[in-house]
Amino acid sequence: MISIVIHGGAGTILRSTMTPEKEKAYQEALATALKIGYQILENGGSALDAVEAAICSLENCPLFNAGKGAVFTATGKHELDASIMDGKNLEAGAAAGVNGVKNPVSLARLIMEKSGHVMLAGKGAEDFAKAMNCEFCNEDYFYDEFRFQQWQDLKDTDSFQLDHSKDERKFGTVGAVALDRDGNLAAATSTGGMTNKRFGRVGDSPIIGAGTYADNRYCAVSCTGSGEFFIRSVVAYDVCAQMQYGGNSLDDACKNTIHKRLGEIGGDGGLIAIDNAGNICMEFNTEGMYRACKNSNGLEQISIYES
Ligand code: ASP
């Protein structure tokens, strides 16, 4: 059994505020990333390679709040967060608050494999990226007019917002989880965080256990939502812990975490998860979540709204 699930963020995603053109563009971007990841698995590649490649594709697409098209910080910059975890050996890598790195998820993987550390932040992460010959892009590459306008609405105020517009409040973070032919699980997440976020603010996405987690014995999880609440609920690991210590199914664990643990403290968002038998779950407490999945049993689905 091989399987991959991806997300492009959750939030107030309503049919009434979506144009057919926009909907098509999102579906195509999700389909492209899904295909890239699935092909790797089909060719015998690892879950780790599949999630990294799927995320790179989403990072390169300006529709999502990760890599190109990331939201603006309070100082008018982009501070990118990403993480990756290998369920085979519980190795993990994360980059927080990096500027200019084209594909932060690949930097996270290099941190996992080559730095001897789990997480590098800010200039230290950028210096490491340079030493590893990661591709850097200038501000123009990351610029997106829509994100810039979102920032203009909040600039010089104390508020910070999820990737939102007047009618929509959404989280454009991207994530992927996969199961490969050898039974290995992997998870990865990448984001620009929140519009007008403070210099140095780090959300859940690069935090192992909060935004991302993978353990071959149980499951792989990637999250999107109000990061501060996801950190406090240790969402990704909570799903895994429920399976490990409570014997819960993947489905029950995801529902408990999103609707009880996270919901009860006021957090909103969602997650994608896969267990070692290939069961998948795409759970959220918002109106919608950009999501897609494909497995070797013939399942293939791309969805945006709740139903
Ligand atoms: N979780 C991300 C953060 O708080 C935001 C998102 O999911 O879009 O940085």
Side-chain angles (χ1 to χ4, degrees), residues 21-259:
E21 296 75 33
K22 223 164 111 188
E23 189 174 293
K24 190 161 171 270
Y26 274 108
Q27 280 169 344
E28 281 173 5
L30 290 168
T32 302
L34 193 70
K35 193 169 164 207
I36 288 171
Y38 191 79
Q39 260 170 8
I40 290 174
L41 297 173
E42 221 175 13
N43 294 335
S46 69
L48 205 59
D49 285 344
V51 295
E52 181 187 358
I55 298 243
C56 282
S57 166
L58 296 166
E59 284 177 340
N60 296 345
C61 171
L63 290 173
F64 303 101
N65 170 22
K68 185 176 175 65
V71 297
F72 285 83
T73 67
T75 49
K77 296 225 167 354
H78 305 285
E79 285 175 25
L80 312 172
D81 297 337
S83 63
I84 192 163
M85 185 157 181
D86 186 349
K88 185 166 59 178
N89 45 24
L90 303 190
E91 285 183 3
V98 294
N99 191 254
V101 175
K102 185 178 181 203
N103 291 112
V105 72
S106 298
L107 172 58
R109 181 161 178 183
L110 285 164
I111 290 169
M112 171 172 86
E113 291 176 344
K114 305 253 160 59
S115 77
H117 300 296
V118 168
M119 182 187 268
L120 292 176
K123 187 167 181 313
E126 289 159 18
D127 287 351
F128 179 76
K130 281 176 199 146
M132 291 288 119
N133 289 322
C134 287
E135 189 174 350
F136 276 75
C137 295
N138 61 21
E139 287 293 318
D140 292 349
Y141 170 80
F142 293 96
Y143 183 88
D144 179 76
E145 180 61 26
F146 176 65
R147 305 281 185 226
F148 185 73
Q149 288 311 325
Q150 287 179 326
W151 177 50
Q152 295 307 299
D153 292 347
L154 293 174
K155 203 176 154 206
D156 303 326
T157 71
D158 279 339
S159 28
F160 56 91
Q161 297 258 357
L162 294 150
D163 171 17
H164 88 303
S165 65
K166 282 194 188 69
D167 307 314
E168 286 183 331
R169 179 174 180 271
K170 63 186 174 64
F171 316 96
T173 291
V174 304
V177 294
L179 170 68
D180 67 27
R181 223 172 252 178
D182 300 323
N184 293 314
L185 293 170
T189 311
S190 180
T191 190
M194 288 162 133
T195 300
N196 210 38
K197 67 182 179 182
R198 271 178 206 277
F199 172 61
R201 180 265 184 188
V202 176
D204 61 310
S205 308
I207 296 182
I208 299 302
T212 303
Y213 202 75
D215 182 333
N216 272 7
R217 294 168 299 173
Y218 306 103
C219 60
V221 184
S222 167
C223 303
T224 171
S226 44
E228 280 68 10
F229 293 87
F230 277 69
I231 293 172
R232 289 159 57 204
S233 302
V234 202
V235 168
Y237 179 65
D238 188 60
V239 171
C240 189
Q242 284 184 60
M243 295 179 76
Q244 179 168 7
Y245 301 115
N248 285 359
S249 68
L250 182 78
D251 202 52
D252 285 347
C254 293
K255 287 195 164 81
N256 283 339
T257 302
I258 291 295
H259 301 291

